[in-house]
Amino acid sequence: YQRVEQALSMETAYLEELFESSPQATVLADNDSVVLRINHEFTSLFGYTKKEAVGRSLDELVAPSEFLDEAHRITQQVAAGKRVSVETVRRRKDGSRVDVSILGAPVRFGAGQVVVYGIYSDVTERKQIELEQARQAAIIASSFDAVMSKSLEGVITSWNPAAEAMFGYTAREAIGQHMAMLIPPELGEEEPRILDRIHSGEEVKPFETIRQDKKGKRMHVSVTISPIRDRAGRIIGASKIVRDI
């Protein structure tokens, strides 16, 4: 009996440590959404101390008024034994809002009681990046200039509608092909020189040259090239804007 009691005590201590050391904001609440416990990360994310949070409605504590019905539904679903994963908006103590990913799961205790276990992750930065990417994509898609990107080997990786209209290749036809297909044979050395300069981090100033479309028709164009960098600042490709002049 003492061994069993000792084992249970160790398991409880382990679960306590796991709860407190979780890198995500974590909360336990009853079926009525009343907060039973929060961890340090919950305090960091939402600004409430344990004394301020415990005993209050989780939904009303962190859900903006227009999201209250959603918060109630999540609590009810988890209390009914379902796992719920959703991205939504929640409110901090100071009234500011934060984009979060919520994972809700039921936890059953010995007497069959179900407790709502919630994990909140701040996804604000990712949402902002996605929004900026969507804006950039919309600008590129609506541009009257041909906008494309290529790898450091010169392979086309993106192709906007204006590029389709200018060169006659659909995005499906162009992506994966080498940029050399747009360059007349006598200008074949131009692309390698450009790639070498991009590789070395040199600036490529806008220049005028000649390009050819799918049917071989030639056109005078103005070309602007910019390096594409990853988060570490490494150059991983280049974007190109081509204007028919």
Side-chain angles (χ1 to χ4, degrees), residues 224-242:
T224 302
I225 298 175
S226 302
I228 298 173
R229 300 177 185 271
D230 63 14
R231 288 193 174 186
R234 295 184 295 261
I235 297 174
I236 57 174
S239 65
K240 179 179 290 188
I241 299 174
V242 181

Side-chain angles (χ1 to χ4, degrees), residues 93-123:
K93 180 183 176 181
D94 63 7
S96 63
R97 299 192 175 203
V98 56
D99 292 306
V100 295
S101 169
I102 302 175
L103 174 62
V107 178
R108 295 185 180 276
F109 287 88
Q113 180 187 8
V114 177
V115 172
V116 176
Y117 180 77
I119 298 174
Y120 294 76
S121 301
D122 185 349
V123 296

Side-chain angles (χ1 to χ4, degrees), residues 153-238:
E153 290 72 40
V155 176
I156 297 169
T157 54
S158 70
W159 189 259
N160 77 336
E164 292 189 10
M166 183 179 296
F167 294 106
Y169 295 97
T170 65
R172 178 174 292 184
E173 291 172 322
I175 293 174
Q177 300 299 315
H178 198 278
M179 196 67 74
M181 71 179 186
L182 306 177
I183 301 174
E186 67 273 17
L187 297 176
E189 292 302 314
E190 188 178 279
E191 183 68 8
R193 286 199 302 270
I194 292 171
L195 289 173
D196 286 343
R197 294 180 66 180
I198 293 171
H199 266 285
S200 62
E202 289 184 46
E203 179 185 4
V204 180
K205 294 183 179 180
F207 61 96
E208 294 182 3
T209 185
I210 296 173
R211 291 293 181 260
Q212 62 185 19
D213 65 12
K214 185 177 181 180
K215 295 180 180 179
K217 177 185 174 182
R218 301 187 178 201
M219 64 193 83
H220 292 275
V221 296
S222 171
V223 180
T224 302
I225 298 175
S226 302
I228 298 173
R229 300 177 185 271
D230 63 14
R231 288 193 174 186
R234 295 184 295 261
I235 297 174
I236 57 174

Side-chain angles (χ1 to χ4, degrees), residues 57 59-61 63-73 90:
S57 166
D59 298 342
E60 295 176 4
L61 195 68
S65 57
E66 67 269 31
F67 288 89
L68 266 177
D69 288 343
E70 174 206 67
H72 291 330
R73 284 196 301 272
R90 287 297 179 259

Side-chain angles (χ1 to χ4, degrees), residues 15-192:
L15 292 175
E16 292 270 349
E17 178 63 24
L18 193 64
F19 182 88
E20 288 298 335
S21 62
S22 171
Q24 280 85 35
T26 309
V27 60
L28 286 176
D30 67 16
N31 292 348
D32 295 320
S33 183
V34 175
V35 176
L36 304 175
R37 186 167 187 173
I38 64 172
N39 71 348
H40 176 72
E41 289 301 322
F42 189 95
T43 297
S44 297
L45 179 59
F46 292 107
Y48 293 99
T49 65
K50 292 181 180 181
K51 186 176 182 180
E52 292 171 325
V54 173
R56 295 178 61 181
S57 166
L58 173 64
D59 298 342
E60 295 176 4
L61 195 68
V62 298
S65 57
E66 67 269 31
F67 288 89
L68 266 177
D69 288 343
E70 174 206 67
H72 291 330
R73 284 196 301 272
I74 292 172
T75 301
Q76 291 168 359
Q77 288 172 344
V78 176
K82 297 179 181 179
R83 289 174 62 89
V84 177
S85 179
V86 65
E87 289 191 357
T88 184
V89 176
R90 287 297 179 259
R91 183 189 63 236
R92 298 186 178 97
K93 180 183 176 181
D94 63 7
S96 63
R97 299 192 175 203
V98 56
D99 292 306
V100 295
S101 169
I102 302 175
L103 174 62
V107 178
R108 295 185 180 276
F109 287 88
Q113 180 187 8
V114 177
V115 172
V116 176
Y117 180 77
I119 298 174
Y120 294 76
S121 301
D122 185 349
V123 296
T124 303
E125 183 178 356
R126 176 171 62 79
K127 287 287 189 180
Q128 289 174 341
I129 291 172
E130 289 175 351
L131 179 59
E132 183 58 30
Q133 289 175 337
R135 285 177 179 153
Q136 291 177 359
I139 292 170
I140 291 170
S142 60
S143 173
F144 290 105
D145 293 325
V147 182
M148 59 200 78
S149 60
K150 61 183 177 182
S151 69
L152 291 177
E153 290 72 40
V155 176
I156 297 169
T157 54
S158 70
W159 189 259
N160 77 336
E164 292 189 10
M166 183 179 296
F167 294 106
Y169 295 97
T170 65
R172 178 174 292 184
E173 291 172 322
I175 293 174
Q177 300 299 315
H178 198 278
M179 196 67 74
M181 71 179 186
L182 306 177
I183 301 174
E186 67 273 17
L187 297 176
E189 292 302 314
E190 188 178 279
E191 183 68 8

